[in-house]
Amino acid sequence: MKIKRREFLKLSAVAGASVALNGCASTKDPSMNGLASKATGTKIGEHAGEWKPSTCQGCTTWCPVEIFVQDGRAVKVRGNRYSKQNEGSVCPRGHLSLQQLYDPDRIKVPMKRTNPQKGRGVDPKFVPISWDEALNTIADKMMEIREAGEPEKYCLMRGRYTYLRDVIYDVMPKVFGSPNNISHSSTCAEAEKFGAYYTEGYWDYRDYDLDKARYILIWGCDPVASNRMVPAAIQRLGDALDRATVAAVDPRLTTSAAKANEWLPLQPGSDGALALGIAHVILSEGLWYKDFVGDFKDGVNRFKPGRKVSEAEFMEKETHGVVKWWNVAVKDMTPAQAAKLSGVDQEQIVRVARGMAKAAPNVCVWMGPGAAMHVRGGYSAMAVHALGGLVGGIDNEGGSLQTAKIPVNKLNKDILKKHQDDLAKKHTKLEKIDQRGRLELPVIAKGKSGGGVSTNNAATGILNKDPYDIKVLVGYMNNFVFSCNGTDRWEKALASVPFTVHLSTNASEFSMFADIVLPCTVNKYERYGFVKTKANRYATCTLLQPVVDPVWDVIVDETEFPFLIAEKLKDRGFSNLYDCLVEMYSDPETGKKPADSKEFTLFALKYYTSPLWDGKKDSHGDKINGWDEMLKRGMWNSEAYKYKSHWGGKFKTASKKFEFYSETLKKALKSHAKKHNVDVNTVLEKANYTAKGELAFVPHYEPPLRHGSVKEYPLVFIDYKSRLNREGRSANCPWYYEFKHVDPGDVGGQDTLRINPLDAAKYGIKDGDRVRLSSVAASGECVARLWEGVRPGTVSKSYGQGHWAYGRTATVDFAKAEPRGVNNNSIIPWELERLSGSNARNGGHAAVRVEKI
């Protein structure tokens, strides 16, 4: 039976044609209606139920949650009662996930492509197949390339994950013999981590001590809507406003900015200039926090606008290179110059700088992707983070913090290596398909050339077959053809791969290029896993658990798929993967080896988390008495993080101090340059930066790169994340559209483009007009919303709409691949921040025009 794209979503015999409850499920079958009551004569909420713990992965806050289950169905969500991370609360995303679980458009059975032609809108002509046929087909394709001596042509692409990712992401490709495990990480915020690492030595997301902050500078993010500690920020922002000054730096009026004392609507891409302007005020007026930075030996401030200072006259304490930074980058960036470049009033720059200094050291500089994910965003990320250093708010009370350790077990690399044959050992060392580490793509994560990932450049490598072609591609919980900017490049790249497998809950755009599609669990409700997260000074390990029976015959992508494939490969004479898995992931309590994929998943979870509950060592956190108690609680909290843990020469930088002049970056850039027999200036030029000489080693301003002339594309496009965006996976949920007005300036039921009334008047656009949004990359239709909360000269639109696949709600017409709205990533031209490998989705490079239809 061949199934046309038009009929693909009709496979649900249970869900039926009529969709009730805002599209959740059919009322004809209560088992598919998450809110229906089985008990005769009772109403919703009247009969008994049970709160069961799991984890929300609607964003990277990764909240410990509890789900109320009645008659075997999930009906309500709240925060985990034991959590010190969210203190028992969740944001709107937590509730929205119920519609994902009971989405009638979920993939229900394995599907096989019968149309060899691939492309956007091309009907794959999927047919349903058995699990056995699907797994056999995949195993045969994998054995073909291994027997040909080219296992590197297998590629695993990881999207969102739990920390059971090691199985599918590390063990499976490395034992098979491929270097190509490509994560999604650089689509999120690797350039943001770049800023923290090359100043503070910390390649990770920071925690923020809102409880004790006296000044909160929110830069390029919206903490109450997104950015990794949402419920904590929602609970604390109101109290913070009673005792602290809150300033928000963003071209659009975010939810946080609407509540803030100061809104600084800067010109996109000018973050480095504005940060240096603030630094100039703090230094020239002698307002830096001396207990952290140090002082001139005689106590006389010599930081005068435009004048160099002798380094010998300054004695630093916890920092390195403040004088050199002043001399190289700060001395000429006066507030007037910063105002000219950023479009923020000079008086406001001075006022914010003085306010921060007055509140020092209890100053929280909260940097987000908007400050960093630019074509030239690495240095602006450093500049913003450096402000925390000037006022002593680094690793300090009321400032930005690192995090406590979570003592879970790590992947056993000795066992992994034991099961690699000579072919695997040799081919896992080959160049990766994303081309990281090349001269023009340093990706110097944690100081190492090619040390990170450049997700968006994997499309380039695949398309150009450079360094080789990919023959077998497996993607899980990802949709790079929708979520990476420059979607046309991904469409061409995926169309060129001869065999692709997609493990997914819904038939996404990536699925439309697949040869085999496998139905997977919805993370929060139907599977085991664990994640590590933090907020409020506490690190947290929280479990994902199957709180309800799976709605369909689905598998856990990260564990069951590798195990099932390992069994098939063993049948074909390659037992290495199976032998490795059963040896590495035996039950830590009994030593029993897993007998099937479900037991394997449970044993893997127990292996990783056992130090938190087995009682063998002090976990420096909650005392949990055994596995059963861990399951019942669903989570573990660390002890509170200790302030100033890295003061006293303990920062993991080259100098062991907080670096305004980054010896750490200098070492990394010189190492990369040496690798390619060039100098650092050449490296930066090839990486699209303008800096030369000493400027390469300090936070500084880089002029934004722009795609499109000002004449043809006069406006700058701003991408942002909705409070209802579950990482792009909520677009088939009716509630997502119904409640979009929770985002400032947005309107429910439409794809809204916010435009300042001043700009709208220029182009003859009125509120509610349908408009065409165009860039050098693509164009599409949306609805204009006149709104003063977006800087003149810019337009903003929420990421998440514009799907041409995924389901009946996400699209206008799934059968015709007709999108509902415009995908931001089609409008944003393909680009990279090359020092970190990140997608460039902010910073002004996406120039657009808007025309009334």
Side-chain angles (χ1 to χ4, degrees), residues 364-382:
C364 176
V365 179
W366 193 320
M367 176 182 63
M373 301 290 278
H374 313 173
V375 179
R376 296 168 176 161
Y379 289 104
S380 62
M382 291 174 67

Side-chain angles (χ1 to χ4, degrees), residues 621-641:
D622 292 342
K623 308 301 179 185
I624 299 176
N625 186 25
W627 176 240
D628 289 342
E629 185 178 339
M630 184 69 181
L631 287 176
K632 185 176 180 180
R633 288 171 53 96
M635 61 159 303
W636 169 93
N637 299 291
S638 73
E639 297 170 344
Y641 180 78

Side-chain angles (χ1 to χ4, degrees), residues 166-167 169-178 181 411-421 424-425 428 576-577 579-581 583-585 608:
D166 287 357
V167 183
Y169 183 70
D170 278 312
V171 179
M172 188 173 181
K174 289 176 181 176
V175 172
F176 185 75
S178 175
N181 49 352
L411 174 70
N412 191 319
K413 293 183 179 180
D414 291 334
I415 293 178
L416 190 155
K417 292 176 181 177
K418 171 184 173 183
H419 293 283
Q420 284 183 307
D421 61 14
K425 290 176 181 177
T428 52
N576 300 52
L577 179 58
D579 294 340
C580 181
L581 293 178
E583 180 178 355
M584 190 178 295
Y585 298 108
Y608 282 109

